[in-house]
């Protein structure tokens, strides 16, 4: 029950009416009784899809109080922000959250960019379709920034990520290998060190031309530049192994 409450700000009674269950029936399920396959599928779909829950909410809004409807409607609107990101981006973020104890928004941005570069280096293609921009403090994926900006410099702790549970299991072995390499190398360093690393890299530097110092920029970082740059690094250091990436990091920060 706590999952529905956290995601949709809705109690047992209103939830039963919205999903089309009897209140006694859903109380049994929420208290641990195994639901029928039909009801189980409805509950699972409602948990994993804010759009589906919103459809049920609209269909049955006259069955609950206006106050309950408004609270739940606002909660659904907040959840739908998550789905601005591509499916693959959400999967990668879910994997990072599972593999690291704490991730701040700034750290997340750097790791996502380095994952993209490492994928180009090893397999000659990106993991996700999202395009980064050359902001003052390094590469930034704008939709990811807006999603987590409320956490500022603090670790991200977001109940909405219950929607991403098991998403990391949809990644390929190749994709997991890339992310694991980044987690166990770059992921060991502070955000400041990661910023220093990305500030030495040509794709970000090239995209920042004409924007000196702290002048804001939303120029895209050209994907072909990322591909060429990281493939050059791979030839020099061998990015298929942690040792190679660690040698590269050491040469940058020492």
């Amino acid at each position: 029950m706590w999952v529905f409450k956290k995601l949709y700000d809705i109690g047992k009674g209103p939830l039963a009416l919205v999903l089309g269950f009897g209140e006694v029936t859903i109380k049994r399920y929420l208290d641990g009784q195994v639901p029928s396959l039909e009801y189980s599928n409805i509950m699972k779909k409602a948990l994993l899809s804010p759009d589906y829950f919103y459809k049920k909410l609209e269909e049955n809004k006259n069955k609950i109080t206006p106050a309950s409807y408004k609270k739940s409607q606002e909660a659904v609107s907040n959840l739908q922000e998550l789905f601005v990101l591509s499916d693959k981006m959400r999967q990668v973020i879910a994997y990072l959250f599972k593999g690291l104890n704490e991730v701040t928004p700034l750290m997340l941005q750097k790791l996502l960019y380095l994952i993209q570069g490492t994928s180009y280096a090893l397999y000659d293609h990106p993991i996700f379709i999202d395009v980064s921009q050359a902001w003052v403090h390094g590469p930034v994926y704008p939709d990811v920034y807006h999603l987590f900006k409320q956490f500022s410099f603090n670790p991200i702790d977001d109940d909405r990520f219950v929607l991403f549970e098991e998403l990391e299991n949809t990644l390929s072995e190749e994709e997991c290998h890339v992310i694991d390499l980044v987690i166990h190398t770059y992921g060991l360093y502070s955000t400041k060190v990661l910023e220093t690393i990305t500030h030495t890299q040509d794709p970000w530097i090239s995209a920042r031309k004409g924007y000196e110092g702290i002048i804001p920029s939303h120029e895209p970082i050209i994907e072909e530049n990322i591909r060429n740059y990281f493939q050059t690094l791979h030839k020099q250091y061998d990015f298929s192994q942690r040792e190679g990436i660690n040698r590269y990091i050491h040469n940058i920060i020492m």
Side-chain angles (χ1 to χ4, degrees), residues 48-96:
L48 296 178
S49 173
D51 286 340
Y52 176 78
F53 181 83
Y54 184 69
K55 179 183 176 183
K56 300 296 287 185
L57 181 66
E58 289 299 306
E59 287 176 357
N60 297 299
K61 65 180 180 182
N62 292 330
K63 298 178 182 178
I64 61 177
T65 66
S68 293
Y69 169 75
K70 184 178 180 181
K71 286 196 301 181
S72 198
Q73 183 188 45
E74 289 175 353
V76 173
S77 295
N78 290 332
L79 284 172
Q80 287 171 329
E81 293 178 4
L82 291 173
F83 293 86
V84 172
L85 307 181
S86 69
D87 289 346
K88 192 63 68 177
M89 176 65 86
R90 289 187 288 118
Q91 291 162 12
V92 172
I93 291 174
Y95 196 100
L96 283 171

Side-chain angles (χ1 to χ4, degrees), residues 189-208:
Y189 292 89
S190 69
T191 302
K192 195 63 182 175
V193 170
L194 297 179
E195 182 176 320
T196 297
I197 292 170
T198 58
H199 279 201
T200 68
Q201 297 178 338
D202 288 343
W204 178 82
I205 294 171
S206 296
R208 286 285 300 171

Side-chain angles (χ1 to χ4, degrees), residues 154-173:
N154 301 310
I156 297 168
D157 182 14
D158 197 328
D159 291 328
R160 294 176 299 175
F161 264 79
V162 70
L163 291 171
F164 290 6
E165 285 185 359
E166 304 303 325
L167 266 183
E168 70 276 2
N169 295 333
T170 62
L171 293 166
S172 69
E173 183 177 339

Side-chain angles (χ1 to χ4, degrees), residues 185-250:
T185 54
Y186 300 105
L188 303 178
Y189 292 89
S190 69
T191 302
K192 195 63 182 175
V193 170
L194 297 179
E195 182 176 320
T196 297
I197 292 170
T198 58
H199 279 201
T200 68
Q201 297 178 338
D202 288 343
W204 178 82
I205 294 171
S206 296
R208 286 285 300 171
K209 284 182 179 176
Y211 299 91
E212 303 302 326
I214 60 172
I215 297 174
S217 163
H218 295 282
E219 295 293 334
I221 301 178
I222 305 303
E223 290 291 306
E224 187 66 15
N225 290 348
I226 300 172
R227 173 182 174 272
N228 293 338
Y229 183 76
F230 277 87
Q231 287 185 352
T232 299
L233 291 178
H234 177 40
K235 290 176 182 178
Q236 183 177 355
Y237 293 98
D238 184 8
F239 273 19
S240 67
Q241 304 294 327
R242 296 182 194 179
E243 293 79 8
I245 297 176
N246 284 329
R247 281 192 294 111
Y248 164 68
I249 295 171
H250 180 82

